[in-house]
Every structure is written in C-alpha cells, then in structure tokens.
Amino acid sequence: MAPTPYDHFRFVLVRTSHSGNIGSAARAIRTMGFDRLTLVAPNRFPDPEATALAAGADDVLANAVVVDDVVGGLAGTTFALGLSARRRGVNIPELDPREGAAQAIAAARRGEQVALVFGNERTGLENDELSRCHAMVRIPSVDDFSSLNLSQAVQVVAYEIRTALLAEQAQAAPVAEPAEVDPDEVPADAEQVERFFTHLGETLDDIEFHKGRSPTTIMLKLRKLFLRARPELRELRILHGILADAQRMADMAHKKGD
Ligand code: SAH
C-alpha cells in the first residue's frame, strides 16, 4: 500500500498499568486512521482485556511493538511530543493539542517520524521520559481535575491530528513524501541523539566538569539545548569528534599527573 501521512505517526504508551486502556487506545487511534502503537514496558500484554476493549481494532494490537524503555519507544523517530496533564520539572515548550498537531504534521511533512508519548495512568510521564521529548502537550482540562483517562487523551490527540490533516487535504495541500534527501542532512533520530548524550555525559565526567555537583540539572539543560537545536547526523558526528578529542586530552592529562 502507498504510504500515507498517517504512517508518520506513532502512539507510544509508557508503562501502561491497565490492559483495557491499551485496547481502548488501539480503538481510538484506529478510528482516526492511525495504526502504529508502541508499548513501553506494559504491565500485561497481550491480554484479553486489551482485545475486548479494542473492539475490533485487532490489527493495531497485533502489530503493536513492545519495547523495554522510552528510548526504545522513540527509536527511528526524530520528533516527539510528550503528553502530560501537569507541568513537570522539565522545562520544555508547552503546547495545546492543536499547536502540537500542527508541529507534528509539519515534521511529518518533512518526512520525519513523529512519536506521541503518553504516560502511566497513575504517575504520568517521568521527568526523564519527558526530557526526551521536543515539547509537552497539555490538554487544557480544569486545574482541580486535570487528568483524563489515558485512552481518552490518546483520542483527543489522534482527533486533532486527523482534523488538521483533513483540513489540509481540503485545501489540496497533501502531506507529500519528501524528495530524495541526504540522510546526513535530516535531523538525527532519537537513538542517535541518545548516543550523543551518553558520550557527552561520559566526557563531562572525564574532564571533571561537575566538580562534585550533581550532573542531573546540567544534563537536563544540555538535553533541552540540543533537542531545541535538532542536530543533523553530520553535526552530531562533529560533536562526537570534539568530545572524543576532549576525552583523549583528559586521558593524557591524567597520565601526566600520575
Ligand atoms: N496523574 C497523572 C495522570 C496520568 S493520566 C499525571 O498527573 O500525569 C495518563 C496519561 O494520559 C498521562 O501521562 C498523559 O500522557 C495523558 N493525559 C491525561 N490527561 C492529560 C491532559 N490533561 N493533558 C495531556 N495529557 C493527558
């Protein structure tokens, strides 16, 4: 089948407790034309409860990809929106669902794979998980009762994206598959960016940057900076080269000091 704009979106459910919600989410995305579901460390899956609530969206469940952590869930994507009812300790841009849908579609139009990331029913997305997203999307619910059921949050987002795609189609501005692009010149995907952060963290240790302070805050700030920059693979390669040189110098300095 010819690729459709809908193939550019992946719904990622993180540490879902209730299998029924997985089924309802599958139904929610299927009704809106999507079919890609990724499950990060689900409590139970496959499960009859999921199948029952999917109400026939069995193909979505059958093709669901199960991974261990959110980094695995984002693999192959270059743009991620994290859904959260509450503002977390992570200082990333906050969008409403409509703005989120517009940005997600803009990324898809550039040929990118987009992840829409949803948290656990009780605890939501951890800071660490949200910090891997380019922006947070908050559905504007009331302050004193802000948390929607997981699959209903999925429905709202899927609806917003579909509505925006339909409006585009009506204006005869379809999401075009991009022309041949140099793979070095597209934004690096989540795994490549993650490898860079690991290397950056190691290098900061090697050059004794933290001087006894906790690395957590600075790493979150650096993460935000680089996610905002959306580096290309070629640019990451240069940064890796710089880090490798810094590590080599630190190693030489240590040896001299011995
Ligand atoms: N107590 C949790 C709520 C979890 S609800 C918290 O405060 O984060 C399960 C998931 O549904 C959330 O992690 C989020 O991805 C989504 N969700 C629920 N209500 C939402 C809202 N108002 N805006 C954005 N996402 C929401």
Side-chain angles (χ1 to χ4, degrees):
M1 263 204 305
T4 75
Y6 295 87
D7 296 338
H8 287 269
F9 300 93
R10 173 194 304 186
F11 288 77
V12 181
L13 307 188
V14 182
R15 292 174 289 101
T16 311
S17 301
H18 303 293
S19 327
N21 278 335
I22 297 177
S24 301
R27 177 181 187 175
I29 68 171
R30 184 72 172 76
T31 55
M32 296 293 114
F34 303 92
D35 59 8
R36 300 195 176 183
L37 191 61
T38 298
L39 306 172
V40 176
N43 184 25
R44 269 201 321 274
F45 186 79
D47 189 74
E49 187 81 358
T51 309
L53 281 151
D58 299 334
D59 47 344
V60 176
L61 291 184
N63 295 322
V65 175
V66 181
V67 294
D68 291 337
D69 57 22
V70 82
V71 176
L74 295 179
T77 67
T78 48
F79 187 67
L81 293 176
L83 272 287
S84 181
R86 284 180 293 144
R87 180 150 264 305
R88 300 282 169 148
V90 183
N91 186 15
I92 52 175
E94 182 179 320
L95 308 174
D96 70 26
R98 207 149 292 175
E99 292 161 341
Q103 291 202 11
I105 291 171
R109 202 186 291 119
R110 295 191 295 267
E112 297 182 34
Q113 288 291 326
V114 175
L116 305 151
V117 189
F118 298 79
N120 166 271
E121 293 90 332
R122 201 171 51 77
T123 53
L125 287 173
E126 304 285 339
N127 281 345
D128 175 56
E129 291 160 345
L130 205 51
S131 73
R132 289 176 165 77
C133 298
H134 294 84
M136 172 188 137
V137 173
R138 203 177 69 77
I139 299 165
S141 46
V142 294
D143 285 342
D144 63 342
F145 202 76
S146 61
S147 180
L148 278 74
N149 166 270
L150 167 61
S151 67
Q152 293 177 353
V154 169
Q155 185 79 70
V156 168
V157 173
Y159 168 79
E160 284 294 346
I161 299 175
R162 178 168 172 78
T163 304
L165 285 172
L166 290 174
E168 266 189 0
Q169 262 171 23
Q171 292 163 11
V175 176
E177 283 301 308
E180 280 296 301
V181 282
D182 179 339
D184 276 358
E185 283 177 4
V186 298
D189 74 19
E191 275 175 313
Q192 292 157 342
V193 173
E194 202 51 40
R195 265 200 294 282
F196 167 69
F197 283 129
T198 305
H199 194 180
L200 181 61
E202 287 165 1
T203 309
L204 292 181
D205 286 340
D206 290 350
I207 64 171
E208 291 166 22
F209 177 77
H210 301 300
K211 311 203 178 40
R213 293 171 305 229
S214 157
T216 313
T217 312
I218 189 85
M219 284 314 288
L220 280 175
K221 284 208 166 24
L222 289 169
R223 208 175 250 291
K224 187 181 163 205
L225 165 68
F226 283 105
L227 283 183
R228 192 170 65 230
R230 313 198 66 220
E232 295 167 359
L233 199 49
R234 194 190 308 255
E235 293 164 334
L236 278 192
R237 235 181 260 129
I238 297 170
L239 291 170
H240 274 298
I242 295 172
L243 295 180
D245 275 356
Q247 286 180 304
R248 194 168 48 78
M249 300 303 258
D251 191 45
M252 273 163 55
H254 276 135
K255 286 203 178 113
K256 258 201 204 135
D258 283 344

